[in-house]
Each structure stands twice: as C-alpha cells, then as structure tokens.
Amino acid sequence: MIKNAAAMTSVAVIGNGLMGQGISQVFARAGKKVTLIGRNSASLEKAITAIRGNFEAFLSRGLANRGDADAALARISTTTDYEAAATVDLVIEAVPAQRELQLEVFGKLDAICPPDVVLGSTSGQPISLMTTPMKRPERAVAMHFIYPAQLIPIVEVCGGPQTAPAVVQWACDVLRHVGQYPALMN
C-alpha cells in the first residue's frame, strides 16, 4: 500500500546530472527530504555546487528568500550507496539514457526498495522498457520532467501495461503536491 501523496516526505534521485539536480531542487523546495545518489563523491560535490548556484539565481531574481533556499539545500543529502533508497517514499531514476544502465538501476531498486516504494523514470522512454529485471513492475511509472526541471513545472506521467493505476494516480498527486503539473499520457 503506497503512502498518501500528501504524506510523502522523502525521495531519492538516482543520477546527479542536470536532470537529477533540477528534480532534487523541485522536491527540496517543496519541503521533502532528498537523497541524491550519484556515481562518486566528486560528481556529487559538483551537483551540490550547481544546485546551490540554481538557488542563488532564484534569490537574485526574487523567486526565493535566503531562509527558504538554505532550508531547501539542507534537505538534500548525497551518497553513492543505492541502499539509501530503501528508506524513501519515491525513487526517481535520472541516469544517462543508456538502456543497460537503466535496466541495472531498476533491477537494483526493485531488490532494495520495499514494495510500497514507487519507482519513477524521467528518461522519456516507455516505462515498460525499464521493468524487465523487476519482480514488482506494477510500481514503476514514467515521470518525465522537462529540462530545466527546477524551472519548467510540467511532468509527463505515463504508466506501462503492468503499472498499477493507483501508482499513476499517486505519481500525479505527488507532483501536484510539490508544485508541478502532471500531463497524463496514454
């Protein structure tokens, strides 16, 4: 049973490139605890520096205040350990669009995360292409954020043939709850 969307408190973002950075910022600004999972500490440090720069840009344009920006940054932690995804409500994959890598990520997440954790992909590919290694494909949903995610509030959401309808609805509700606009795709 997945948690009520309004009660969702934490998200893990797998991939700390431009999309992962923007998605992390979206959730942190909305008051959610974010675990940004990357390949190595150097790339994670660069990601946090970039996110900090994004917040500074928001501040310079009057789109945020210092207290809110500092609080959002404090909600983002980084790690290279996939096991950190086992304690969150939602995981969003934002790794490079390399099928083998994405399949590896979804296989790991399916094994690590409890059954009530929703697994999203922002790859823009049908979610059914990611679920081959999964034992629980009903919890996988495409959540395609538009670049730059911290500025463009539209997210395409699409389930696959095995995705539970409740998961698609939950993903849309979560996105609305964090200030995004889900565009439900068929």
Side-chain angles (χ1 to χ4, degrees), residues 65-127:
N65 65 54
R66 176 60 65 193
D68 291 344
D70 289 347
L73 274 167
R75 284 190 279 275
I76 302 173
S77 62
T78 62
T79 186
T80 58
D81 186 2
Y82 274 68
E83 293 291 330
T87 61
V88 301
D89 302 313
L90 168 65
V91 181
I92 299 175
E93 168 272 318
V95 299
Q98 299 165 357
R99 184 67 41 80
E100 292 304 315
L101 175 60
Q102 291 168 320
L103 289 171
E104 177 186 332
V105 167
F106 272 86
K108 280 184 189 178
L109 294 173
D110 191 52
I112 291 168
C113 297
D116 61 340
V117 174
V118 171
L119 306 180
S121 174
T122 192
S123 76
Q125 298 294 318
I127 195 64

Side-chain angles (χ1 to χ4, degrees), residues 154-171:
I154 297 170
V155 181
E156 296 173 338
V157 177
C158 187
Q162 295 176 299
T163 306
V167 168
V168 174
Q169 183 61 53
W170 184 85

Side-chain angles (χ1 to χ4, degrees), residues 42-57:
S43 70
L44 285 164
E45 286 175 29
K46 282 182 171 178
I48 291 299
T49 299
I51 293 169
R52 186 175 290 111
N54 290 341
F55 276 115
E56 290 300 325

